[in-house]
Amino acid sequence: MTHQFRGILALLVVTLVWGTTFPAMKSLTAYFSPIWIVFLRFILASVLMLPFLRGARLKDCRTGAAVGVVLFFCYVFQVEGLALTTSNRNAFITGLNVLVVPLLGYFAGKKPERRIVIALALALVGLFALCSEGGAASWSRGDTLALLAAFAFGLYVKMMEGATRKVDNLMTLTAMQIVTVALCSALWLLAREIPRTQIDVSSDMLNYWTYIGNGVRLYAVNFLYLGVLCTAGIIALQTWGQSHSTANEAAVIYAFEPAAAAFFAYFWLGELMTWQAWIGAALLIAGMIVSQWNTERPATALVPE
């Protein structure tokens, strides 16, 4: 077995694991608010990634923190959207982030290549087919949030393109992003979610923390899976896989992440898709593949979906 073939297998595993994160987080939205899901997932990953910050350069930490703030909003939009729509639709719409980078270039005055125009056309038709199976009213606030997540992830990837050229250590950059997401989530919780009442603060807080504690115990396996394997553990495998495969191979494999999410959503949550939705999904995947074909290197984002 050649190193290239092993690299492709590694990226296939990465893509499949990423696909499971959508139903895994969707199941948590029945109990937790989206920001709690983001916080608990990333605080676990932060504990594992802290060793990579030992002796880190201040310049690398600052760059990682700046990109991490954007990544925080990526996950806020994504998980907020998951709470309001199905995980498979969320995955397909979020996957449009690969088209956001060339769009940003267009707004900056760079004329898009022909393949990008074709990819955008395929994606728009696919998005219409995926989200219009129930008529115009089929488009929901959750879908809008997923679309915002796609734009946020696209901006994140664009920022990572510059960040990876400025830092001395990629793992420091990645670790600082994860820690920053955890810190931003904690600040958001303190500012907006932890209850503050004028009647009986102590009683309210006690009930609140009891509820959160019960949820953590109930869904401990989900959070360990998301935080340890899907966020921290998968980074090493992705990095190794990308170093032993070509850009085209990585681009095509990553494009099938939404399909993997739909597959696992069916077995995990019982979510179904109509034939029209599948046609739309196929067009979206085609657009993603076309947009990434002949790129010089794989996406620089080292943090999983």
Side-chain angles (χ1 to χ4, degrees):
M1 186 182 295
T2 64
H3 282 299
Q4 184 178 10
F5 185 66
R6 289 176 181 173
I8 292 172
L9 285 180
L11 295 183
L12 284 171
V13 172
V14 168
T15 302
L16 288 173
V17 172
W18 282 355
T20 65
T21 63
F22 290 90
M25 289 191 293
K26 173 67 176 178
S27 64
L28 292 171
T29 60
Y31 192 99
F32 290 96
S33 67
I35 198 66
W36 265 110
I37 297 172
V38 176
F39 171 72
L40 290 171
R41 174 180 177 176
F42 279 86
I43 198 67
L44 281 171
S46 295
V47 172
L48 297 176
M49 299 301 290
L50 280 176
F52 292 103
L53 295 179
R54 186 176 302 165
R57 291 176 176 268
L58 183 59
K59 178 190 71 172
D60 291 0
C61 290
R62 285 176 176 171
T63 303
V67 179
V69 172
V70 176
L71 185 63
F72 165 70
F73 285 103
C74 292
Y75 280 98
V76 169
F77 287 138
Q78 184 185 56
V79 185
E80 287 276 3
L82 266 173
L84 300 171
T85 189
T86 60
S87 61
N88 47 45
R89 280 170 68 130
N90 184 280
F92 282 109
I93 296 173
T94 303
L96 291 172
N97 70 81
V98 297
L99 296 174
V100 173
V101 176
L103 275 178
L104 292 173
Y106 172 74
F107 289 123
K110 182 180 179 181
K111 187 177 179 180
E113 300 175 37
R114 183 180 178 183
R115 64 182 173 84
I116 297 300
V117 176
I118 296 173
L120 282 170
L122 288 169
L124 287 173
V125 175
L127 187 63
F128 178 80
L130 178 68
C131 297
S132 65
E133 50 186 317
S138 177
W139 184 269
S140 67
R141 181 170 177 264
D143 297 327
T144 300
L145 288 167
L147 194 58
L148 287 174
F151 278 97
F153 273 115
L155 177 61
Y156 163 76
V157 172
K158 189 65 176 176
M159 290 181 66
M160 279 289 289
E161 184 180 20
T164 53
R165 294 168 182 167
K166 288 192 284 186
V167 300
D168 298 317
N169 190 309
L170 278 179
M171 287 308 295
T172 298
L173 174 67
T174 303
M176 194 62 204
Q177 290 177 65
I178 292 175
V179 172
T180 300
V181 174
L183 290 174
C184 288
S185 303
L187 292 173
W188 189 286
L189 283 170
L190 289 172
R192 301 195 58 180
E193 290 229 2
I194 294 179
R196 288 181 169 84
T197 65
Q198 296 179 349
I199 302 172
D200 190 351
V201 175
S202 60
S203 176
D204 190 54
M205 289 289 284
L206 179 62
N207 294 334
Y208 182 78
W209 290 114
T210 299
Y211 177 84
I212 295 298
N214 289 338
V216 171
R217 286 190 292 271
L218 184 63
Y219 292 98
V221 174
N222 293 53
F223 282 116
L224 286 171
Y225 177 71
L226 287 168
V228 176
L229 178 64
C230 298
T231 306
I234 209 70
I235 293 173
L237 185 61
Q238 182 197 11
T239 306
W240 184 88
Q242 287 188 182
S243 68
H244 291 85
S245 59
T246 66
N248 285 345
E249 289 165 345
V252 172
I253 292 169
Y254 290 159
F256 285 94
E257 180 195 350
F263 174 81
F264 288 112
Y266 171 75
F267 288 100
W268 196 321
L269 303 173
E271 292 182 357
L272 299 174
M273 291 175 62
T274 65
W275 65 269
Q276 181 179 329
W278 276 114
I279 292 175
L283 289 170
L284 283 172
I285 291 175
M288 294 173 202
I289 293 174
V290 171
S291 72
Q292 296 297 297
W293 198 255
N294 287 328
T295 50
E296 295 180 358
R297 60 176 181 168
T300 55
L302 295 178
V303 180
E305 296 282 3

